[in-house]
Amino acid sequence: MNVELRLRELGIELPTPLGPAGNYVPAAQVGDLVYLSGMGPVRPDGSFVVGKVGNGGLDLDAGREAARLTGLQLLAALRAEIGDLDRVRRVARIFGMVNCAPGFNRTPAVIDGCSDLLVEVLGDAGRSARSAVGMAELPFDIAVEIEAVVQVSA
């Protein structure tokens, strides 16, 4: 599969990857695995999607869109690290964290925004093992944070 062609077909332009917000790197490759640091939802204008999903101001659909935007950040960071997304063999795992209002428990549906994007762009290679958990707080009040482990070819 030609991933860049697929992105164009879908009308998706990956954002410029953000730099780290602390003393870490956005991606680290160990053998054929690339570990992607937790990324957050960045709108095309450069602002973050902030707030709690549930009764905290963001509904389920807004949470899903935040997860999708986070998936775009993950793909952008991955491309910056490996140079060519056609090297992706499989997204092995994603770990999704949702900034939840008390009582909100539909975190898997929120993180589907990222999972659906990865499958849409990468096909079956984007289907991964996954965790989707709720958090009382996330850095800078972002709505979603997602990290990933991706297997790549040489």
Side-chain angles (χ1 to χ4, degrees):
M1 167 184 262
N2 183 316
V3 177
E4 295 298 330
L5 177 60
R6 181 69 180 146
L7 287 168
R8 283 193 299 277
E9 288 171 353
L10 294 169
I12 296 172
E13 184 174 334
L14 293 182
T16 301
L18 292 179
N23 188 12
Y24 61 91
V25 294
Q29 185 168 350
V30 179
D32 67 344
L33 296 177
V34 178
Y35 296 84
L36 295 167
S37 294
M39 307 279 168
V42 181
R43 294 183 184 100
D45 68 5
S47 66
F48 284 93
V49 178
V50 297
K52 294 192 178 297
V53 180
N55 291 335
L58 298 174
D59 64 13
L60 177 60
D61 288 338
R64 284 178 59 87
E65 178 60 19
R68 183 181 186 283
L69 290 170
T70 304
L72 294 173
Q73 282 295 319
L74 289 166
L75 288 170
L78 181 60
R79 182 170 66 185
E81 179 69 17
I82 66 172
D84 182 359
L85 291 175
D86 286 338
R87 292 183 53 208
V88 173
R89 292 181 59 204
R90 176 153 200 185
V91 178
R93 180 175 193 272
I94 64 172
F95 178 65
M97 297 160 274
V98 180
N99 188 358
C100 291
F104 182 81
N105 61 10
R106 302 213 37 219
T107 54
V110 171
I111 301 304
D112 277 345
C114 178
S115 295
D116 292 348
L117 170 75
L118 294 175
V119 171
E120 187 177 18
V121 171
L122 300 170
D124 281 340
R127 198 170 313 280
S128 68
R130 182 181 92 175
S131 296
V133 299
M135 301 292 193
E137 299 289 337
L138 286 175
F140 312 110
D141 198 34
I142 57 175
V144 174
E145 181 175 353
I146 303 172
E147 59 185 47
V149 179
V150 180
Q151 183 183 33
V152 297
S153 62

